[in-house]
Amino acid sequence: MQLNNARILLTGATGGLGQALAQQLAADGARLLLAGRDTARLAALNAALGGEHSSVRADLTRPEGVAAAAGAAREFGANVLINNAGVGGFGLYERQDWDEIDSLLATNLAAPMRLTHALLPWLKARPQAVIVNIGSTFGSLPFAGFAAYSAAKAGLRGFSQALRRELADTQVAVIHLAPRAIDTPLNSDAVNALNRALNNRSDDADAVARQVVAALRAGDGERHFGFPERFFAWLNGVAPTLIDRGLAGKLAVIKQHAPTR
Ligand SMILES: NC(=O)c1ccc[n+]([C@@H]2O[C@H](COP(=O)([O-])OP(=O)(O)OC[C@H]3O[C@@H](n4cnc5c(N)ncnc54)[C@H](OP(=O)(O)O)[C@@H]3O)[C@@H](O)[C@H]2O)c1
């Protein structure tokens, strides 16, 4: 897609990856509808981008938030939806509160599905439209200490693939992108310490945003960012017991870094 023709609803615009994406997409000529829950941060981002864009305040875990974002997107003339909003969720599953798990599933899986559902008739009526879902390596390489997060991201991957296949005879493309760890506020100190202890690489948000923009331009259906993560995600698909064994060797370190509650 040519970005100077794009009118993009970007969720999670105020976050680490969202801000980097907003800056690059705006620099490439796209018009943005910035979505988030914090009006002041949305206004500050819009001002930093030159003030030419629009914003909508929406808590996407709430039906009225999804309705507000979808209504604003139609008014804005959006032809691209980037489902980027998300929350982290490091912790041993049995120690996590159900409310925390429920909220993670609502934000990372139900919200992008619901927003896509609300906007699909509108997007199908555009001459060209794209839905970009920001997943994670953990959607294909589910990780100990991230059971609910991995489940949500695996669900998002399945949703993206099924919808892409369902929309194959339309002009709506569905792109699923799976970054590895990114240096953003999503990762707590405990996650950063774990990544250091396991030698997991963490990418700069600008570098990941460049890859997202490249995938949007190219219209690729599926991209996994980072090596060796891409290889291990593939291996998990064909020989999950090998990954079980590899992760068993890291379990003590993961448990040592997991929050106690
Ligand atoms: N960071 C990583 O290591 C990593 C790795 C792979 C994939 N990802 C994915 O990349 C995406 C962006 O994450 P990030 O790292 O940029 O995280 P971040 O810096 O924590 O930003 C998260 C964004 O999501 C928004 N958000 C959270 N809950 C929301 C809700 N209920 N309704 C509406 N918006 C909500 C936040 O908005 P508010 O300003 O309203 O809080 C914020 O703009 C996520 O989907 C994440 O899963 C991240």
Side-chain angles (χ1 to χ4, degrees), residues 12-18 35-38 41 58-61 83-87 107-108 134-137 149 153 179-187:
T14 52
L17 180 58
R37 289 173 299 178
D38 186 325
R41 292 180 71 200
D59 180 342
L60 296 172
T61 60
N83 284 309
N84 168 67
V87 291
T107 310
N108 293 4
I134 304 295
S136 160
T137 296
Y149 186 84
K153 291 299 189 180
R180 63 182 176 187
I182 314 169
D183 299 326
T184 74
L186 180 123
N187 291 323

PDB file of all heavy atoms in Angstrom, residues 12-18 35-38 41 58-61 83-87 107-108 134-137 149 153 179-187, ligand 1:
ATOM      1  N   GLY A  12      -3.174   1.920  20.520  1.00  0.00           N
ATOM      2  CA  GLY A  12      -1.941   1.900  21.311  1.00  0.00           C
ATOM      3  C   GLY A  12      -0.949   2.936  20.822  1.00  0.00           C
ATOM      4  O   GLY A  12       0.270   2.773  20.969  1.00  0.00           O
ATOM      5  N   ALA A  13      -1.477   4.059  20.278  1.00  0.00           N
ATOM      6  CA  ALA A  13      -0.598   5.058  19.644  1.00  0.00           C
ATOM      7  C   ALA A  13       0.342   5.714  20.634  1.00  0.00           C
ATOM      8  O   ALA A  13       1.423   6.163  20.262  1.00  0.00           O
ATOM      9  CB  ALA A  13      -1.453   6.118  18.938  1.00  0.00           C
ATOM     10  N   THR A  14      -0.050   5.776  21.915  1.00  0.00           N
ATOM     11  CA  THR A  14       0.767   6.473  22.918  1.00  0.00           C
ATOM     12  C   THR A  14       1.846   5.576  23.513  1.00  0.00           C
ATOM     13  O   THR A  14       2.648   6.044  24.321  1.00  0.00           O
ATOM     14  CB  THR A  14      -0.137   6.975  24.067  1.00  0.00           C
ATOM     15  OG1 THR A  14      -0.921   5.863  24.517  1.00  0.00           O
ATOM     16  CG2 THR A  14      -1.034   8.096  23.606  1.00  0.00           C
ATOM     17  N   GLY A  15       1.873   4.300  23.142  1.00  0.00           N
ATOM     18  CA  GLY A  15       2.849   3.379  23.712  1.00  0.00           C
ATOM     19  C   GLY A  15       4.195   3.461  23.006  1.00  0.00           C
ATOM     20  O   GLY A  15       4.397   4.277  22.089  1.00  0.00           O
ATOM     21  N   GLY A  16       5.120   2.605  23.440  1.00  0.00           N
ATOM     22  CA  GLY A  16       6.471   2.632  22.885  1.00  0.00           C
ATOM     23  C   GLY A  16       6.499   2.351  21.395  1.00  0.00           C
ATOM     24  O   GLY A  16       7.057   3.128  20.612  1.00  0.00           O
ATOM     25  N   LEU A  17       5.917   1.240  20.969  1.00  0.00           N
ATOM     26  CA  LEU A  17       5.893   0.930  19.532  1.00  0.00           C
ATOM     27  C   LEU A  17       4.941   1.875  18.806  1.00  0.00           C
ATOM     28  O   LEU A  17       5.222   2.308  17.681  1.00  0.00           O
ATOM     29  CB  LEU A  17       5.477  -0.539  19.307  1.00  0.00           C
ATOM     30  CG  LEU A  17       5.415  -0.987  17.853  1.00  0.00           C
ATOM     31  CD1 LEU A  17       6.762  -0.794  17.138  1.00  0.00           C
ATOM     32  CD2 LEU A  17       4.987  -2.462  17.760  1.00  0.00           C
ATOM     33  N   GLY A  18       3.812   2.206  19.444  1.00  0.00           N
ATOM     34  CA  GLY A  18       2.811   3.074  18.813  1.00  0.00           C
ATOM     35  C   GLY A  18       3.388   4.433  18.430  1.00  0.00           C
ATOM     36  O   GLY A  18       3.179   4.918  17.315  1.00  0.00           O
ATOM     37  N   ALA A  35      -5.316   6.397  18.610  1.00  0.00           N
ATOM     38  CA  ALA A  35      -6.233   5.913  19.651  1.00  0.00           C
ATOM     39  C   ALA A  35      -5.470   5.524  20.903  1.00  0.00           C
ATOM     40  O   ALA A  35      -4.385   4.932  20.834  1.00  0.00           O
ATOM     41  CB  ALA A  35      -7.031   4.719  19.140  1.00  0.00           C
ATOM     42  N   GLY A  36      -6.030   5.874  22.048  1.00  0.00           N
ATOM     43  CA  GLY A  36      -5.450   5.519  23.344  1.00  0.00           C
ATOM     44  C   GLY A  36      -6.439   5.906  24.433  1.00  0.00           C
ATOM     45  O   GLY A  36      -7.532   6.401  24.135  1.00  0.00           O
ATOM     46  N   ARG A  37      -6.032   5.707  25.691  1.00  0.00           N
ATOM     47  CA  ARG A  37      -6.964   6.020  26.778  1.00  0.00           C
ATOM     48  C   ARG A  37      -6.676   7.349  27.432  1.00  0.00           C
ATOM     49  O   ARG A  37      -7.465   7.810  28.254  1.00  0.00           O
ATOM     50  CB  ARG A  37      -6.895   4.914  27.849  1.00  0.00           C
ATOM     51  CG  ARG A  37      -7.499   3.602  27.414  1.00  0.00           C
ATOM     52  CD  ARG A  37      -7.236   2.531  28.434  1.00  0.00           C
ATOM     53  NE  ARG A  37      -5.803   2.311  28.595  1.00  0.00           N
ATOM     54  CZ  ARG A  37      -5.262   1.453  29.446  1.00  0.00           C
ATOM     55  NH1 ARG A  37      -6.048   0.742  30.220  1.00  0.00           N
ATOM     56  NH2 ARG A  37      -3.956   1.313  29.515  1.00  0.00           N
ATOM     57  N   ASP A  38      -5.526   7.951  27.109  1.00  0.00           N
ATOM     58  CA  ASP A  38      -5.085   9.151  27.823  1.00  0.00           C
ATOM     59  C   ASP A  38      -5.112  10.359  26.879  1.00  0.00           C
ATOM     60  O   ASP A  38      -4.253  10.494  25.998  1.00  0.00           O
ATOM     61  CB  ASP A  38      -3.667   8.881  28.358  1.00  0.00           C
ATOM     62  CG  ASP A  38      -3.152   9.997  29.238  1.00  0.00           C
ATOM     63  OD1 ASP A  38      -3.478  11.169  28.968  1.00  0.00           O
ATOM     64  OD2 ASP A  38      -2.404   9.688  30.191  1.00  0.00           O
ATOM     65  N   ARG A  41      -1.914  12.544  26.640  1.00  0.00           N
ATOM     66  CA  ARG A  41      -0.809  11.913  25.887  1.00  0.00           C
ATOM     67  C   ARG A  41      -1.122  11.864  24.397  1.00  0.00           C
ATOM     68  O   ARG A  41      -0.229  12.029  23.559  1.00  0.00           O
ATOM     69  CB  ARG A  41      -0.541  10.503  26.431  1.00  0.00           C
ATOM     70  CG  ARG A  41       0.037  10.533  27.840  1.00  0.00           C
ATOM     71  CD  ARG A  41       0.297   9.142  28.369  1.00  0.00           C
ATOM     72  NE  ARG A  41       1.417   8.523  27.701  1.00  0.00           N
ATOM     73  CZ  ARG A  41       1.645   7.219  27.661  1.00  0.00           C
ATOM     74  NH1 ARG A  41       0.806   6.388  28.256  1.00  0.00           N
ATOM     75  NH2 ARG A  41       2.686   6.733  27.048  1.00  0.00           N
ATOM     76  N   ALA A  58     -10.290   5.998  23.736  1.00  0.00           N
ATOM     77  CA  ALA A  58     -11.098   4.781  23.756  1.00  0.00           C
ATOM     78  C   ALA A  58     -10.429   3.709  24.593  1.00  0.00           C
ATOM     79  O   ALA A  58      -9.279   3.336  24.315  1.00  0.00           O
ATOM     80  CB  ALA A  58     -11.289   4.260  22.328  1.00  0.00           C
ATOM     81  N   ASP A  59     -11.140   3.208  25.594  1.00  0.00           N
ATOM     82  CA  ASP A  59     -10.699   2.008  26.298  1.00  0.00           C
ATOM     83  C   ASP A  59     -11.260   0.823  25.515  1.00  0.00           C
ATOM     84  O   ASP A  59     -12.478   0.577  25.516  1.00  0.00           O
ATOM     85  CB  ASP A  59     -11.226   2.008  27.740  1.00  0.00           C
ATOM     86  CG  ASP A  59     -10.774   0.773  28.503  1.00  0.00           C
ATOM     87  OD1 ASP A  59     -10.353  -0.221  27.864  1.00  0.00           O
ATOM     88  OD2 ASP A  59     -10.849   0.785  29.751  1.00  0.00           O
ATOM     89  N   LEU A  60     -10.379   0.095  24.853  1.00  0.00           N
ATOM     90  CA  LEU A  60     -10.826  -0.932  23.909  1.00  0.00           C
ATOM     91  C   LEU A  60     -11.292  -2.213  24.585  1.00  0.00           C
ATOM     92  O   LEU A  60     -11.747  -3.138  23.910  1.00  0.00           O
ATOM     93  CB  LEU A  60      -9.711  -1.221  22.895  1.00  0.00           C
ATOM     94  CG  LEU A  60      -9.368  -0.013  22.015  1.00  0.00           C
ATOM     95  CD1 LEU A  60      -8.139  -0.301  21.164  1.00  0.00           C
ATOM     96  CD2 LEU A  60     -10.553   0.367  21.125  1.00  0.00           C
ATOM     97  N   THR A  61     -11.201  -2.272  25.923  1.00  0.00           N
ATOM     98  CA  THR A  61     -11.776  -3.425  26.622  1.00  0.00           C
ATOM     99  C   THR A  61     -13.267  -3.209  26.880  1.00  0.00           C
ATOM    100  O   THR A  61     -13.939  -4.104  27.377  1.00  0.00           O
ATOM    101  CB  THR A  61     -11.067  -3.702  27.958  1.00  0.00           C
ATOM    102  OG1 THR A  61     -11.203  -2.550  28.788  1.00  0.00           O
ATOM    103  CG2 THR A  61      -9.607  -4.019  27.750  1.00  0.00           C
ATOM    104  N   ASN A  83      -4.044  -2.809  14.744  1.00  0.00           N
ATOM    105  CA  ASN A  83      -4.355  -3.273  16.096  1.00  0.00           C
ATOM    106  C   ASN A  83      -3.037  -3.485  16.835  1.00  0.00           C
ATOM    107  O   ASN A  83      -2.405  -4.548  16.726  1.00  0.00           O
ATOM    108  CB  ASN A  83      -5.137  -4.585  16.031  1.00  0.00           C
ATOM    109  CG  ASN A  83      -6.589  -4.380  15.648  1.00  0.00           C
ATOM    110  OD1 ASN A  83      -7.280  -3.561  16.245  1.00  0.00           O
ATOM    111  ND2 ASN A  83      -7.060  -5.126  14.643  1.00  0.00           N
ATOM    112  N   ASN A  84      -2.620  -2.428  17.552  1.00  0.00           N
ATOM    113  CA  ASN A  84      -1.319  -2.435  18.219  1.00  0.00           C
ATOM    114  C   ASN A  84      -1.441  -2.382  19.750  1.00  0.00           C
ATOM    115  O   ASN A  84      -0.526  -2.813  20.448  1.00  0.00           O
ATOM    116  CB  ASN A  84      -0.509  -1.229  17.698  1.00  0.00           C
ATOM    117  CG  ASN A  84       0.731  -0.963  18.508  1.00  0.00           C
ATOM    118  OD1 ASN A  84       1.669  -1.757  18.512  1.00  0.00           O
ATOM    119  ND2 ASN A  84       0.736   0.176  19.212  1.00  0.00           N
ATOM    120  N   ALA A  85      -2.546  -1.895  20.277  1.00  0.00           N
ATOM    121  CA  ALA A  85      -2.691  -1.775  21.743  1.00  0.00           C
ATOM    122  C   ALA A  85      -2.500  -3.141  22.395  1.00  0.00           C
ATOM    123  O   ALA A  85      -2.956  -4.161  21.867  1.00  0.00           O
ATOM    124  CB  ALA A  85      -4.062  -1.218  22.099  1.00  0.00           C
ATOM    125  N   GLY A  86      -1.836  -3.137  23.531  1.00  0.00           N
ATOM    126  CA  GLY A  86      -1.638  -4.399  24.229  1.00  0.00           C
ATOM    127  C   GLY A  86      -1.075  -4.177  25.614  1.00  0.00           C
ATOM    128  O   GLY A  86      -0.608  -3.081  25.941  1.00  0.00           O
ATOM    129  N   VAL A  87      -1.142  -5.216  26.421  1.00  0.00           N
ATOM    130  CA  VAL A  87      -0.554  -5.189  27.759  1.00  0.00           C
ATOM    131  C   VAL A  87       0.327  -6.428  27.919  1.00  0.00           C
ATOM    132  O   VAL A  87       0.116  -7.446  27.255  1.00  0.00           O
ATOM    133  CB  VAL A  87      -1.629  -5.154  28.876  1.00  0.00           C
ATOM    134  CG1 VAL A  87      -2.362  -3.820  28.889  1.00  0.00           C
ATOM    135  CG2 VAL A  87      -2.600  -6.314  28.742  1.00  0.00           C
ATOM    136  N   THR A 107      -7.787  -7.174  26.334  1.00  0.00           N
ATOM    137  CA  THR A 107      -7.003  -6.148  25.626  1.00  0.00           C
ATOM    138  C   THR A 107      -6.300  -6.736  24.397  1.00  0.00           C
ATOM    139  O   THR A 107      -6.312  -6.138  23.313  1.00  0.00           O
ATOM    140  CB  THR A 107      -5.933  -5.551  26.571  1.00  0.00           C
ATOM    141  OG1 THR A 107      -6.553  -5.181  27.793  1.00  0.00           O
ATOM    142  CG2 THR A 107      -5.281  -4.324  25.945  1.00  0.00           C
ATOM    143  N   ASN A 108      -5.658  -7.884  24.582  1.00  0.00           N
ATOM    144  CA  ASN A 108      -4.753  -8.396  23.548  1.00  0.00           C
ATOM    145  C   ASN A 108      -5.444  -9.267  22.511  1.00  0.00           C
ATOM    146  O   ASN A 108      -4.903  -9.477  21.426  1.00  0.00           O
ATOM    147  CB  ASN A 108      -3.612  -9.194  24.195  1.00  0.00           C
ATOM    148  CG  ASN A 108      -2.681  -8.315  25.014  1.00  0.00           C
ATOM    149  OD1 ASN A 108      -2.908  -7.120  25.181  1.00  0.00           O
ATOM    150  ND2 ASN A 108      -1.624  -8.901  25.538  1.00  0.00           N
ATOM    151  N   ILE A 134      -0.696  -6.647  15.464  1.00  0.00           N
ATOM    152  CA  ILE A 134       0.629  -6.760  16.072  1.00  0.00           C
ATOM    153  C   ILE A 134       0.593  -7.903  17.088  1.00  0.00           C
ATOM    154  O   ILE A 134      -0.009  -7.784  18.157  1.00  0.00           O
ATOM    155  CB  ILE A 134       1.069  -5.447  16.752  1.00  0.00           C
ATOM    156  CG1 ILE A 134       1.036  -4.283  15.753  1.00  0.00           C
ATOM    157  CG2 ILE A 134       2.467  -5.617  17.364  1.00  0.00           C
ATOM    158  CD1 ILE A 134       2.009  -4.363  14.589  1.00  0.00           C
ATOM    159  N   GLY A 135       1.205  -9.005  16.697  1.00  0.00           N
ATOM    160  CA  GLY A 135       1.268 -10.176  17.576  1.00  0.00           C
ATOM    161  C   GLY A 135       2.564 -10.182  18.362  1.00  0.00           C
ATOM    162  O   GLY A 135       3.036  -9.136  18.809  1.00  0.00           O
ATOM    163  N   SER A 136       3.141 -11.354  18.510  1.00  0.00           N
ATOM    164  CA  SER A 136       4.385 -11.508  19.271  1.00  0.00           C
ATOM    165  C   SER A 136       5.006 -12.852  18.907  1.00  0.00           C
ATOM    166  O   SER A 136       4.287 -13.795  18.534  1.00  0.00           O
ATOM    167  CB  SER A 136       4.054 -11.483  20.768  1.00  0.00           C
ATOM    168  OG  SER A 136       5.085 -12.072  21.525  1.00  0.00           O
ATOM    169  N   THR A 137       6.316 -12.932  19.059  1.00  0.00           N
ATOM    170  CA  THR A 137       6.989 -14.240  18.936  1.00  0.00           C
ATOM    171  C   THR A 137       6.281 -15.283  19.799  1.00  0.00           C
ATOM    172  O   THR A 137       6.143 -16.442  19.411  1.00  0.00           O
ATOM    173  CB  THR A 137       8.461 -14.109  19.400  1.00  0.00           C
ATOM    174  OG1 THR A 137       9.132 -13.211  18.524  1.00  0.00           O
ATOM    175  CG2 THR A 137       9.160 -15.454  19.412  1.00  0.00           C
ATOM    176  N   TYR A 149      -0.469 -14.450  28.128  1.00  0.00           N
ATOM    177  CA  TYR A 149       0.004 -13.583  27.026  1.00  0.00           C
ATOM    178  C   TYR A 149       0.208 -14.433  25.762  1.00  0.00           C
ATOM    179  O   TYR A 149      -0.217 -14.035  24.672  1.00  0.00           O
ATOM    180  CB  TYR A 149       1.305 -12.902  27.452  1.00  0.00           C
ATOM    181  CG  TYR A 149       1.824 -11.882  26.466  1.00  0.00           C
ATOM    182  CD1 TYR A 149       1.352 -10.567  26.470  1.00  0.00           C
ATOM    183  CD2 TYR A 149       2.783 -12.217  25.512  1.00  0.00           C
ATOM    184  CE1 TYR A 149       1.833  -9.620  25.566  1.00  0.00           C
ATOM    185  CE2 TYR A 149       3.269 -11.284  24.603  1.00  0.00           C
ATOM    186  CZ  TYR A 149       2.786  -9.990  24.636  1.00  0.00           C
ATOM    187  OH  TYR A 149       3.263  -9.053  23.730  1.00  0.00           O
ATOM    188  N   LYS A 153      -1.800 -14.058  22.183  1.00  0.00           N
ATOM    189  CA  LYS A 153      -1.084 -13.778  20.935  1.00  0.00           C
ATOM    190  C   LYS A 153      -1.210 -14.937  19.942  1.00  0.00           C
ATOM    191  O   LYS A 153      -1.261 -14.719  18.724  1.00  0.00           O
ATOM    192  CB  LYS A 153       0.387 -13.447  21.219  1.00  0.00           C
ATOM    193  CG  LYS A 153       0.570 -12.109  21.941  1.00  0.00           C
ATOM    194  CD  LYS A 153       0.051 -10.923  21.119  1.00  0.00           C
ATOM    195  CE  LYS A 153       0.413  -9.585  21.716  1.00  0.00           C
ATOM    196  NZ  LYS A 153      -0.075  -8.432  20.950  1.00  0.00           N
ATOM    197  N   PRO A 179       6.733  -9.423  16.441  1.00  0.00           N
ATOM    198  CA  PRO A 179       8.048  -8.984  16.941  1.00  0.00           C
ATOM    199  C   PRO A 179       8.503  -9.851  18.106  1.00  0.00           C
ATOM    200  O   PRO A 179       7.697 -10.443  18.825  1.00  0.00           O
ATOM    201  CB  PRO A 179       7.791  -7.551  17.448  1.00  0.00           C
ATOM    202  CG  PRO A 179       6.384  -7.196  17.033  1.00  0.00           C
ATOM    203  CD  PRO A 179       5.650  -8.486  16.812  1.00  0.00           C
ATOM    204  N   ARG A 180       9.832  -9.890  18.317  1.00  0.00           N
ATOM    205  CA  ARG A 180      10.368 -10.419  19.577  1.00  0.00           C
ATOM    206  C   ARG A 180      10.365  -9.256  20.574  1.00  0.00           C
ATOM    207  O   ARG A 180       9.690  -8.245  20.324  1.00  0.00           O
ATOM    208  CB  ARG A 180      11.772 -10.986  19.353  1.00  0.00           C
ATOM    209  CG  ARG A 180      12.781  -9.947  18.905  1.00  0.00           C
ATOM    210  CD  ARG A 180      14.143 -10.574  18.641  1.00  0.00           C
ATOM    211  NE  ARG A 180      15.080  -9.608  18.132  1.00  0.00           N
ATOM    212  CZ  ARG A 180      16.303  -9.903  17.694  1.00  0.00           C
ATOM    213  NH1 ARG A 180      16.709 -11.162  17.700  1.00  0.00           N
ATOM    214  NH2 ARG A 180      17.109  -8.977  17.238  1.00  0.00           N
ATOM    215  N   ALA A 181      11.072  -9.391  21.705  1.00  0.00           N
ATOM    216  CA  ALA A 181      11.026  -8.337  22.736  1.00  0.00           C
ATOM    217  C   ALA A 181      11.426  -6.978  22.158  1.00  0.00           C
ATOM    218  O   ALA A 181      12.310  -6.895  21.292  1.00  0.00           O
ATOM    219  CB  ALA A 181      11.953  -8.708  23.882  1.00  0.00           C
ATOM    220  N   ILE A 182      10.729  -5.940  22.632  1.00  0.00           N
ATOM    221  CA  ILE A 182      11.002  -4.570  22.190  1.00  0.00           C
ATOM    222  C   ILE A 182      11.250  -3.742  23.460  1.00  0.00           C
ATOM    223  O   ILE A 182      10.608  -3.973  24.497  1.00  0.00           O
ATOM    224  CB  ILE A 182       9.796  -3.969  21.428  1.00  0.00           C
ATOM    225  CG1 ILE A 182       9.227  -4.958  20.405  1.00  0.00           C
ATOM    226  CG2 ILE A 182      10.187  -2.675  20.729  1.00  0.00           C
ATOM    227  CD1 ILE A 182       7.874  -4.529  19.823  1.00  0.00           C
ATOM    228  N   ASP A 183      12.135  -2.757  23.350  1.00  0.00           N
ATOM    229  CA  ASP A 183      12.407  -1.873  24.504  1.00  0.00           C
ATOM    230  C   ASP A 183      11.270  -0.870  24.632  1.00  0.00           C
ATOM    231  O   ASP A 183      11.316   0.208  24.026  1.00  0.00           O
ATOM    232  CB  ASP A 183      13.726  -1.105  24.307  1.00  0.00           C
ATOM    233  CG  ASP A 183      14.897  -2.056  24.177  1.00  0.00           C
ATOM    234  OD1 ASP A 183      14.874  -3.105  24.829  1.00  0.00           O
ATOM    235  OD2 ASP A 183      15.822  -1.733  23.412  1.00  0.00           O
ATOM    236  N   THR A 184      10.256  -1.203  25.401  1.00  0.00           N
ATOM    237  CA  THR A 184       9.114  -0.307  25.620  1.00  0.00           C
ATOM    238  C   THR A 184       8.636  -0.459  27.058  1.00  0.00           C
ATOM    239  O   THR A 184       8.990  -1.428  27.744  1.00  0.00           O
ATOM    240  CB  THR A 184       7.912  -0.640  24.700  1.00  0.00           C
ATOM    241  OG1 THR A 184       7.295  -1.834  25.196  1.00  0.00           O
ATOM    242  CG2 THR A 184       8.313  -0.807  23.247  1.00  0.00           C
ATOM    243  N   PRO A 185       7.779   0.458  27.509  1.00  0.00           N
ATOM    244  CA  PRO A 185       7.254   0.361  28.884  1.00  0.00           C
ATOM    245  C   PRO A 185       6.400  -0.891  29.135  1.00  0.00           C
ATOM    246  O   PRO A 185       6.084  -1.189  30.289  1.00  0.00           O
ATOM    247  CB  PRO A 185       6.393   1.627  29.010  1.00  0.00           C
ATOM    248  CG  PRO A 185       6.907   2.557  27.961  1.00  0.00           C
ATOM    249  CD  PRO A 185       7.375   1.687  26.835  1.00  0.00           C
ATOM    250  N   LEU A 186       6.031  -1.616  28.069  1.00  0.00           N
ATOM    251  CA  LEU A 186       5.245  -2.843  28.279  1.00  0.00           C
ATOM    252  C   LEU A 186       6.013  -3.843  29.152  1.00  0.00           C
ATOM    253  O   LEU A 186       5.412  -4.597  29.917  1.00  0.00           O
ATOM    254  CB  LEU A 186       4.906  -3.477  26.925  1.00  0.00           C
ATOM    255  CG  LEU A 186       4.097  -4.760  26.966  1.00  0.00           C
ATOM    256  CD1 LEU A 186       2.817  -4.600  26.148  1.00  0.00           C
ATOM    257  CD2 LEU A 186       4.883  -5.939  26.418  1.00  0.00           C
ATOM    258  N   ASN A 187       7.340  -3.832  29.024  1.00  0.00           N
ATOM    259  CA  ASN A 187       8.146  -4.799  29.766  1.00  0.00           C
ATOM    260  C   ASN A 187       8.539  -4.237  31.131  1.00  0.00           C
ATOM    261  O   ASN A 187       9.182  -3.194  31.219  1.00  0.00           O
ATOM    262  CB  ASN A 187       9.393  -5.167  28.952  1.00  0.00           C
ATOM    263  CG  ASN A 187       9.008  -5.977  27.722  1.00  0.00           C
ATOM    264  OD1 ASN A 187       8.090  -6.807  27.779  1.00  0.00           O
ATOM    265  ND2 ASN A 187       9.677  -5.730  26.617  1.00  0.00           N
TER     266      ASN A 187
HETATM  267  N1  LIG B   1       7.281  -4.610  24.135  1.00  0.00           N
HETATM  268  C1  LIG B   1       7.492  -5.866  23.736  1.00  0.00           C
HETATM  269  O1  LIG B   1       8.440  -6.540  24.195  1.00  0.00           O
HETATM  270  C2  LIG B   1       6.603  -6.475  22.681  1.00  0.00           C
HETATM  271  C3  LIG B   1       7.063  -7.631  22.005  1.00  0.00           C
HETATM  272  C4  LIG B   1       6.236  -8.201  21.036  1.00  0.00           C
HETATM  273  C5  LIG B   1       5.012  -7.654  20.775  1.00  0.00           C
HETATM  274  N2  LIG B   1       4.592  -6.534  21.437  1.00  0.00           N
HETATM  275  C6  LIG B   1       3.273  -5.990  21.143  1.00  0.00           C
HETATM  276  O2  LIG B   1       3.437  -4.687  20.604  1.00  0.00           O
HETATM  277  C7  LIG B   1       2.231  -3.943  20.871  1.00  0.00           C
HETATM  278  C8  LIG B   1       2.593  -2.567  21.419  1.00  0.00           C
HETATM  279  O3  LIG B   1       3.189  -2.750  22.691  1.00  0.00           O
HETATM  280  P1  LIG B   1       4.247  -1.725  23.338  1.00  0.00           P
HETATM  281  O4  LIG B   1       5.448  -2.523  23.618  1.00  0.00           O
HETATM  282  O5  LIG B   1       4.326  -0.495  22.530  1.00  0.00           O
HETATM  283  O6  LIG B   1       3.502  -1.464  24.736  1.00  0.00           O
HETATM  284  P2  LIG B   1       3.294  -0.111  25.590  1.00  0.00           P
HETATM  285  O7  LIG B   1       4.435   0.807  25.408  1.00  0.00           O
HETATM  286  O8  LIG B   1       2.960  -0.569  26.965  1.00  0.00           O
HETATM  287  O9  LIG B   1       1.997   0.545  24.902  1.00  0.00           O
HETATM  288  C9  LIG B   1       0.759  -0.102  24.980  1.00  0.00           C
HETATM  289  C10 LIG B   1      -0.308   0.761  24.351  1.00  0.00           C
HETATM  290  O10 LIG B   1      -1.549   0.051  24.416  1.00  0.00           O
HETATM  291  C11 LIG B   1      -2.531   0.914  24.931  1.00  0.00           C
HETATM  292  N3  LIG B   1      -3.548   0.204  25.701  1.00  0.00           N
HETATM  293  C12 LIG B   1      -3.354  -0.648  26.739  1.00  0.00           C
HETATM  294  N4  LIG B   1      -4.534  -1.044  27.232  1.00  0.00           N
HETATM  295  C13 LIG B   1      -5.487  -0.426  26.487  1.00  0.00           C
HETATM  296  C14 LIG B   1      -6.907  -0.423  26.517  1.00  0.00           C
HETATM  297  N5  LIG B   1      -7.610  -1.141  27.425  1.00  0.00           N
HETATM  298  N6  LIG B   1      -7.571   0.318  25.603  1.00  0.00           N
HETATM  299  C15 LIG B   1      -6.895   1.056  24.708  1.00  0.00           C
HETATM  300  N7  LIG B   1      -5.558   1.107  24.620  1.00  0.00           N
HETATM  301  C16 LIG B   1      -4.859   0.378  25.517  1.00  0.00           C
HETATM  302  C17 LIG B   1      -1.789   1.896  25.823  1.00  0.00           C
HETATM  303  O11 LIG B   1      -2.576   3.065  25.900  1.00  0.00           O
HETATM  304  P3  LIG B   1      -2.689   3.980  27.210  1.00  0.00           P
HETATM  305  O12 LIG B   1      -1.795   5.142  26.888  1.00  0.00           O
HETATM  306  O13 LIG B   1      -4.106   4.312  27.257  1.00  0.00           O
HETATM  307  O14 LIG B   1      -2.212   3.158  28.375  1.00  0.00           O
HETATM  308  C18 LIG B   1      -0.499   2.098  25.038  1.00  0.00           C
HETATM  309  O15 LIG B   1      -0.679   3.102  24.059  1.00  0.00           O
HETATM  310  C19 LIG B   1       1.391  -4.801  21.829  1.00  0.00           C
HETATM  311  O16 LIG B   1       0.375  -5.460  21.108  1.00  0.00           O
HETATM  312  C20 LIG B   1       2.398  -5.800  22.365  1.00  0.00           C
HETATM  313  O17 LIG B   1       1.798  -7.003  22.785  1.00  0.00           O
HETATM  314  C21 LIG B   1       5.367  -5.923  22.381  1.00  0.00           C
END
